[in-house]
Amino acid sequence: MNEPQAARILDGTVVAQEVEAEVAAASARLPFRLGLAVVCVGNDPASEIYVRSKAKKARELGIDGIERIFPDTLSEAELLDVVASLNEDDAVDGILVQLPLPRRIDAQKVIDAIDPRKDVDGFHPINVGLLHLGRRALVPCTPAGVMRLIAATGEAIEGKHAVIIGRSNIVGKPMAALLLNASATVTICHSRTRDLAAVAREADILVAAIGQPLFVTDDFVKPGAIVIDVGMNRVEAGFAPRLAHDAGKSQLLAKNGSVLVGDVDFARVRERAAWITPVPRGVGPMTIAMLMHNTVEAAMRRRG
Ligand code: NDP
């Protein structure tokens, strides 16, 4: 009897490079410079790193990456003024406000103030509505990136059963809309779902976007499924026993004192799935690549 084959790895860095090459080619072809403004408020070092890396990636691809980094003292009214001036600026094709914002600022109010034609995060209610209507929209970057990863398997989505674990506005819900628009049969699970493992085992395509390290074990996975792990969780020494079966991660944890893991127990699930994304180098690189893609898309539509 043949031994079961381990899953094929869906390498997000490779697919992201393809998207980035498309973006670079488009930006070289267009008769105008593309502009992406990334706005950050507060002293969160992680947010500042994200914003700078997004602007840097934009510049690498021939897009003017404009960083606007403000101190924690910036008021909501001042931030709304910043957004209004970026809306007015014809050289700016895309506006991204890095979340989370300081708690005293109403993030939804800020998102609602972004010109929907420049809303490269796809969080504005107009874009959310268009996506759910199955119309052309600027689509949130992470689920859009997952669609590209699924496309890279070469397997058709139509008619497959997709199960998404997580119902957030930035991942789970838009992911469900995209898969439904691609004619999958879609089930969305969340913290109140009963017998989650049994529901997940029905999936031909399983997307985990939960924020719980190694939550999805082999018991959740139908043999031959495509498994996409959106989760990014940094775990520390106390987690070592739960990683004992994964030599690679265990070594990294012992060496660095912490390690990044997904929502999927990669070492176990890869023995059952047909395709699987690793963490890191899976969904993560796709998010930033799709942001650049959305900037091109926004520019082409707004500027005709
Ligand atoms: P949220 O915290 O907003 O949502 C988590 C979702 O998971 C909720 O719908 C929640 O259910 C559900 N959930 C939590 N615990 C359980 C459980 N035990 N059983 C079933 N469902 C559960 O997270 P996000 O959607 O923002 O992010 C999810 C993960 O993806 C995080 O690890 C995040 O870091 C990562 N991420 C990665 C990105 C990337 O670029 N790779 C981009 C964005 C996010 P309920 O609604 O009932 O509470």
Side-chain angles (χ1 to χ4, degrees):
M1 217 168 76
N2 288 338
E3 285 292 309
Q5 298 268 310
R8 293 166 74 181
I9 308 293
L10 267 173
D11 188 333
T13 56
V14 172
V15 185
Q17 274 170 14
E18 289 168 18
V19 174
E20 287 167 15
E22 289 165 21
V23 169
S27 87
R29 221 175 30 237
L30 289 169
F32 49 82
R33 294 280 300 174
L34 292 161
L36 170 64
V38 280
V39 180
C40 176
V41 182
N43 309 319
D44 177 12
S47 288
E48 204 169 317
I49 290 169
Y50 289 143
V51 163
R52 290 198 194 284
S53 64
K54 285 169 184 167
K56 182 166 167 268
K57 176 59 76 182
R59 290 191 287 269
E60 281 169 21
L61 302 180
I63 300 171
D64 288 330
I66 306 151
E67 288 162 43
R68 296 282 179 84
I69 297 176
F70 297 98
D72 196 38
T73 50
L74 192 82
S75 69
E76 183 179 286
E78 286 168 322
L79 179 56
L80 290 170
D81 282 345
V82 170
V83 169
S85 74
L86 294 169
N87 283 342
E88 289 299 312
D89 187 343
D90 196 44
V92 172
D93 296 295
I95 303 169
L96 177 148
V97 177
Q98 184 67 43
L99 301 176
L101 287 167
R103 285 174 64 160
R104 64 200 157 66
I105 297 180
D106 180 347
Q108 196 57 59
K109 202 165 163 184
V110 175
I111 290 165
D112 290 358
I114 296 172
D115 182 340
R117 297 170 310 161
K118 299 188 177 189
D119 167 40
V120 282
D121 254 341
F123 295 162
H124 190 286
I126 293 272
N127 283 312
V128 175
L130 289 170
L131 171 65
H132 283 266
L133 289 169
R135 290 170 55 184
R136 200 168 165 200
L138 287 168
V139 175
C141 301
T142 301
V146 171
M147 293 302 280
R148 288 290 293 244
L149 286 169
I150 296 172
T153 66
E155 292 200 31
I157 293 175
E158 186 178 328
K160 288 207 165 68
H161 188 182
V163 174
I164 299 147
I165 314 179
R167 57 171 162 179
S168 73
N169 291 335
I170 62 168
V171 189
K173 285 181 195 154
M175 189 74 254
L178 284 166
L179 287 162
L180 183 61
N181 292 346
S183 295
T185 301
V186 177
T187 302
I188 308 176
C189 302
H190 46 77
S191 64
R192 314 292 162 85
T193 300
R194 291 194 195 142
D195 203 354
L196 186 50
V199 179
R201 269 198 308 276
E202 297 290 314
D204 304 305
I205 300 171
L206 181 63
V207 181
I210 321 165
Q212 304 278 347
L214 311 195
F215 184 89
V216 172
T217 60
D218 46 356
D219 186 39
F220 285 58
V221 177
K222 171 158 114 180
I226 299 172
V227 179
I228 308 283
D229 190 355
V230 180
M232 288 202 297
N233 312 287
R234 186 153 288 283
V235 297
E236 300 187 343
F239 204 81
R242 288 193 55 198
L243 277 174
H245 61 289
D246 186 332
K249 291 282 188 206
S250 293
Q251 277 168 16
L252 278 172
L253 179 58
K255 183 169 160 234
N256 301 330
S258 73
V259 68
L260 197 62
V261 299
D263 290 343
V264 174
D265 188 336
F266 180 87
R268 291 203 166 101
V269 170
R270 74 174 299 194
E271 301 302 326
R272 248 179 128 88
W275 292 91
I276 189 167
T277 58
V279 176
R281 298 172 71 87
V283 175
M286 294 304 297
T287 297
I288 195 158
M290 296 313 292
L291 173 66
M292 304 304 145
H293 166 90
N294 279 357
T295 305
V296 175
E297 177 83 10
M300 302 230 277
R301 275 197 269 161
R302 186 178 64 88
R303 306 202 201 206

